[in-house]
Amino acid sequence: MGEARVHYEFSDGIAVIRIDDGKRNALPPAAFHELNAAFDRAEADQAIVILTGREGVFSAGYDLKVLRGGGPQALNMVRLGYSLTPRVLSFPYPVITACSGHALAMGVFLMLCSDYIIGTRGEFKVAANEVALGLPMPRVGAAVLRHRLTPAAFERVVNLSEYFPVEEARDAGFFDEVVTPDQLMARARAHAAAYAELDMRAHAATKRRIRRELIRTLRRSVWVDVAEAAWLGLQAARRKG
């Protein structure tokens, strides 16, 4: 069993879920199992979640080595990642993402499922760069991006794989606020403390009510996107053959 990529800390009603593989925070299948387990623990702890990464990077998205390898492992990774998006969107307690640096592709989709998102000032980039990688934008990703971004930014992100500097990313809708690196976790904890005053039953019910159609769309789209990924993989294999 490999070293854990996802770390869980709980205190004072706040669960910090930190992605840290010591590198780019790529997300192989094991990372999604660990993320799901961490959200299970947070729900059992009735915790407000702060989701974050390692210094300089939130997540680079899917593990490209696994994705390019194709086959069942790649399809399972895609399924696990896309299935996590409705899980986070419907989590019964507030979820704050403290984006610690670069955020790309599946890392962006995961981040945008949070209730509040804090970016970090610095030479960091945010992008959903599937088209630049030669992949049609998945339905799950497009739905999550449309949920958060301004219409103009959505078109540039989805169709042109545009990379956004941090301040422009805030204006586009990726972030609710941007702070310096030394302020990031303090701001996230301050928001978590404020959200602790909410009525959590009302929070959960309202979140699920206003996101019902989006969550349904995502759950349906997971399987369509996985089927498309399988077809694209088959086509690529035929071209190589």
Side-chain angles (χ1 to χ4, degrees):
M1 188 173 180
E3 185 177 348
R5 296 171 177 83
V6 177
H7 309 272
Y8 184 90
E9 300 173 10
F10 174 72
S11 64
D12 301 323
I14 300 170
V16 177
I17 299 175
R18 187 182 304 275
I19 308 168
D20 187 353
D21 67 357
K23 299 176 184 177
R24 299 174 64 249
N25 280 357
L27 300 170
F32 291 113
H33 288 299
E34 292 174 18
L35 281 165
N36 270 301
F39 274 95
D40 285 343
R41 289 182 64 182
E43 188 165 357
D45 287 334
Q46 300 181 8
I48 294 171
V49 168
I50 298 174
L51 179 63
T52 192
R54 65 190 305 269
E55 185 177 353
V57 60
F58 175 66
S59 173
Y62 284 131
D63 188 327
L64 291 181
K65 289 182 180 178
V66 176
L67 197 62
R68 288 168 180 158
Q73 188 178 17
L75 294 176
N76 185 48
M77 180 178 69
V78 169
R79 179 187 63 80
L80 289 168
Y82 293 160
S83 296
L84 186 60
T85 59
R87 169 85 192 274
V88 177
L89 278 163
S90 60
F91 191 73
Y93 304 97
V95 178
I96 302 160
T97 287
C99 182
S100 48
H102 299 293
L104 302 173
M106 184 63 218
V108 167
F109 306 154
L110 177 60
M111 176 178 79
L112 294 185
C113 292
S114 304
D115 298 299
Y116 196 85
I117 308 170
I118 309 172
T120 305
R121 288 194 174 94
E123 297 301 314
F124 304 125
K125 296 292 180 66
V126 179
N129 56 334
E130 276 73 8
V131 168
L133 295 173
L135 302 169
M137 177 60 66
R139 294 158 185 81
V140 167
V144 171
L145 291 164
R146 193 186 296 275
H147 167 66
R148 286 282 314 196
L149 302 186
T150 65
F154 173 79
E155 293 287 337
R156 289 153 59 197
V157 169
V158 171
N159 294 323
L160 303 175
S161 287
E162 183 170 332
Y163 284 75
F164 284 71
V166 171
E167 296 294 345
E168 290 183 27
R170 177 187 57 191
D171 295 339
F174 287 103
F175 303 130
D176 293 297
E177 68 174 293
V178 174
V179 300
T180 59
D182 61 306
Q183 297 173 320
L184 181 64
M185 290 306 293
R187 285 295 293 158
R189 290 186 179 278
H191 281 291
Y195 299 155
E197 301 300 317
L198 295 171
D199 182 303
M200 293 303 167
R201 292 178 64 183
H203 167 79
T206 301
K207 179 188 291 189
R208 289 169 178 168
R209 176 179 297 170
I210 67 172
R211 295 176 179 172
R212 181 176 291 115
E213 290 306 314
L214 173 60
I215 290 167
R216 286 176 178 170
T217 295
L218 292 174
R219 287 175 174 160
R220 288 193 302 265
S221 297
V222 166
W223 299 105
V224 181
D225 282 336
V226 169
E228 182 174 77
W231 182 83
L232 290 171
L234 181 61
Q235 295 299 106
R238 285 176 176 170
R239 286 195 296 271
K240 287 181 181 179

